Amino acid sequence: MHIAEGFLPPAHAIGWTLAAAPFVVHGARAVVKEVREHPEATLLLGAAGAFTFVLSAIKLPSITGSSSHPTGTGVGAILFRPPVMALLGTVVLLFQALLLAHGGLTTLGANAFSLAIVGPWVGYGAYRLTRALGGDLLPGVFAGMALADLATYLTTSVQLALAFPDAGSGFTGALVKFLGVFAVTQIPLAIGEGLLGVLLFRVLVTNARPDLERLGVLPVRPAEPEEAR
Amino acid sequence: MTRQRLVTALLALGVVLLFALPLAVDGGRSAYVGSDTQAVTAIQESDPGYRPWFESVFAPASPAVESGLFALQAAVGGGVLGYVLGRLRGRRLAAHDGAARTPDDTP
């Protein structure tokens, strides 16, 4: 999903940067507010950022004979709502643009829009929908993680098709072509990311239950020790 | 093995198989080019006249250096994640201990 440096025409690069900027600024405020009001949330915020940091560094082979990387943005979106990931995801992209020549500064806005904004929001929507339909936490996490991953790559395909419409078949033809590159490759990765998310949340449910209750991810359970005494 | 641990093991195995199986079935025929690189190739094919108008401010000197930096990124992320999960577990065990001991400690 990293559009390479210089590979969006200037008008598109500026447009996506302007579109992403308010989300990132809002996300930065959301992170500061969360840390100020709930210092104990810093640990889980670190976990959410770290998860995206690891997963977006690992390129995995897929059934299509090409490789791609997951995004890991679903964890933070589910725990802290999507705005937080607008900042954390953009920080990861900036690191990769500056140190790894992966993505770029001119394409940072477009890449942030797909990985740090659309992905987390779609993942969060899928998570909330699963919960609203009566699904448990873990199925919700699976759906949220997997769809955050897929939605990111679908967004990249749309961005590239808008910038490079096909000479004959226009936007639609180009979209089909870029989806051919990104979408099928990403399906097994999205499933794998969903499973990893379930693994992580199983650990969190055991070890960070008070935090998950405060964040509204788990229902508040009456404290047992009171009765034990 | 408790059911909890069995589920964890199966989930982990599922993730490994999901990525190991395509490799095994493929038998070395595919090059596993990154999808980001394929997208650049697609752009260059459909629009041969397009020239990138900005260069990366810094590019790793060789593929070996690049994969090292990617490994560094994964290591930093994995390290922080492990630290946080360890802290959370330590905090839970400490709270558990404290709750268990309090009744005896109070006179």
Side-chain angles (χ1 to χ4, degrees):
Chain A
M1 50 68 56
H2 294 81
I3 301 177
E5 183 74 282
F7 269 89
L8 276 183
H12 288 255
I14 293 167
W16 288 113
T17 304
L18 292 179
F23 287 93
V24 178
V25 171
H26 176 236
R29 285 189 174 164
V31 171
V32 170
K33 183 163 174 272
E34 183 71 30
V35 171
R36 192 171 291 160
E37 289 176 7
H38 304 283
E40 73 276 15
T42 316
L43 271 183
L44 278 183
L45 269 172
F51 197 69
T52 288
F53 216 61
V54 184
L55 286 200
S56 62
I58 301 174
K59 286 183 192 148
L60 293 163
S62 179
I63 38 172
T64 49
S66 51
S67 62
S68 191
H69 64 83
T71 64
T73 54
V75 172
I78 291 168
L79 285 176
F80 295 102
R81 297 183 22 89
V84 164
M85 287 318 292
L87 177 73
L88 298 183
T90 305
V91 170
V92 174
L93 289 169
L94 190 62
F95 174 88
Q96 294 181 318
L98 290 176
L99 285 181
L100 301 171
H102 208 64
L105 295 178
T106 60
T107 51
L108 184 64
N111 290 335
F113 203 85
S114 61
L115 178 125
I117 297 166
V118 174
W121 275 105
V122 168
Y124 181 68
Y127 163 75
R128 288 298 297 263
L129 186 68
T130 312
R131 297 303 302 263
L133 293 173
D136 257 345
L137 171 65
L138 294 182
V141 166
F142 180 83
M145 300 287 300
L147 286 174
D149 180 324
L150 263 186
T152 301
Y153 281 81
L154 298 185
T155 307
T156 305
S157 305
V158 171
Q159 290 169 329
L160 286 175
L162 282 171
F164 300 98
D166 193 81
S169 50
F171 169 78
T172 318
L175 183 61
V176 171
K177 183 178 63 188
F178 287 116
L179 284 175
V181 170
F182 287 119
V184 184
T185 306
Q186 206 60 28
I187 289 171
L189 272 77
I191 295 172
E193 175 157 2
L195 294 178
L196 282 175
V198 170
L199 275 168
L200 179 65
F201 268 83
R202 282 163 50 88
V203 176
L204 292 181
V205 166
T206 308
N207 292 302
R209 187 171 267 279
D211 303 84
L212 297 189
E213 287 174 353
R214 182 183 68 76
L215 293 165
V217 175
L218 283 178
V220 178
R221 204 168 56 175
E224 285 163 36
E226 294 296 327
E227 287 173 30
R229 277 178 216 174
Chain B
M1 195 187 270
T2 62
R3 186 169 170 273
Q4 180 92 0
R5 289 205 173 145
L6 183 69
V7 172
T8 305
L10 286 177
L11 280 169
L13 187 69
V15 174
V16 172
L17 285 181
L18 201 57
F19 301 111
L21 277 183
L23 282 176
V25 171
D26 185 73
R29 267 168 295 144
S30 305
Y32 291 101
V33 177
S35 56
D36 291 343
T37 312
Q38 289 183 318
V40 168
T41 312
I43 292 170
Q44 286 166 337
E45 276 168 12
S46 73
D47 194 349
Y50 185 81
R51 292 281 168 272
W53 55 283
F54 200 80
E55 290 292 316
S56 293
V57 281
F58 163 83
S62 78
V65 174
E66 185 187 332
S67 63
L69 285 168
F70 269 108
L72 181 71
Q73 186 192 333
V76 169
V80 170
L81 191 62
Y83 170 79
V84 168
L85 294 182
R87 277 282 301 265
L88 289 172
R89 185 175 146 81
R91 196 186 63 182
R92 174 177 68 89
L93 294 178
H96 191 75
D97 267 13
R101 230 179 281 133
T102 319
D104 308 327
D105 293 347
T106 40

